[in-house]
Amino acid sequence: MTSKPSLVSVIMPAYKLQYMEQVLDSLLSQSYSELELIVCDDSTDGDIATLLQQKQEQADFPIHYFKNGLRLGETVSTAKGIKKAKGKYIKLLHDDDVLEPDAIASLVAAIESEPDIALVSSRRQRIDEDGEPLPDILATRFPFASDVIINGPELVSFLGDH
């Protein structure tokens, strides 16, 4: 018997409309379908809400929208979204991040590959205003030759050394 895939709650603290359509399109094109999107909106107008309403018609998953009465900022909006999440897993997605089509499927496969894994992450590629790749900086440089599993103490040691 095949079990149902785990629900992933995608949490988005939103403020800027500039890249929002690209971000949402990248989420809509995910190969992993057991998703919910939770948006906590800090913007001062209704543009993000309007775009989300349009995209909901294309989505095969629920989109939950929360307009913050006062500007909460990224950290508090993220925490608010996590409190509202129903998923087994949390994927943070910012209003200027674009996902590769298999990003969430790969992350779920990694975290479910071994019972002791509690956190997964992926490489990031910075881009310029035209969508062209930018050179890596320290925060985005991938320090390994391939995918790795690192236990907590080894990760802390690695980060301390590098």
Side-chain angles (χ1 to χ4, degrees):
M1 182 173 136
T2 306
S3 64
K4 184 176 179 181
S6 300
L7 179 65
V8 176
S9 296
V10 178
I11 310 299
M12 181 186 294
Y15 179 71
K16 300 176 295 208
L17 183 66
Q18 183 177 3
Y19 303 108
M20 183 66 80
E21 187 161 13
Q22 290 172 271
V23 174
L24 293 172
D25 287 344
S26 77
L27 187 59
L28 291 169
S29 69
Q30 288 300 295
S31 62
Y32 194 88
S33 60
E34 290 298 315
L35 304 171
E36 69 171 345
L37 173 61
I38 299 168
V39 177
C40 295
D41 183 5
D42 260 350
S43 67
T44 57
D45 56 34
D47 292 345
I48 289 174
T50 300
L51 180 60
L52 286 169
Q53 286 174 337
Q54 294 167 358
K55 295 297 180 178
Q56 178 65 68
E57 296 170 9
Q58 303 167 29
D60 293 332
F61 52 84
I63 296 176
H64 307 289
Y65 173 79
F66 302 94
K67 176 68 174 149
N68 297 331
L70 298 171
R71 186 156 189 256
L72 300 178
E74 179 182 339
T75 303
V76 178
S77 286
T78 299
K80 177 180 175 179
I82 290 170
K83 286 179 186 173
K84 297 192 177 288
K86 295 180 180 80
K88 180 177 181 181
Y89 303 120
I90 301 291
K91 167 66 178 131
L92 301 181
L93 182 64
H94 293 94
D95 58 14
D96 59 357
D97 292 343
V98 175
L99 297 171
E100 293 292 327
D102 292 326
I104 294 176
S106 296
L107 292 168
V108 171
I111 202 164
E112 292 186 344
S113 69
E114 293 189 28
D116 293 337
I117 294 178
L119 173 73
V120 293
S121 183
S122 62
R123 186 182 191 287
R124 295 186 302 164
Q125 174 67 60
R126 297 180 324 128
I127 58 173
D128 64 18
E129 298 82 18
D130 299 319
E132 296 299 317
L134 291 169
D136 280 328
I137 58 173
L138 183 60
T140 61
R141 189 175 68 228
F142 192 67
F144 307 103
S146 62
D147 291 346
V148 296
I149 296 176
I150 303 173
N151 70 30
E154 288 174 348
L155 177 60
V156 171
S157 177
F158 174 83
L159 293 172
D161 291 344
H162 296 90

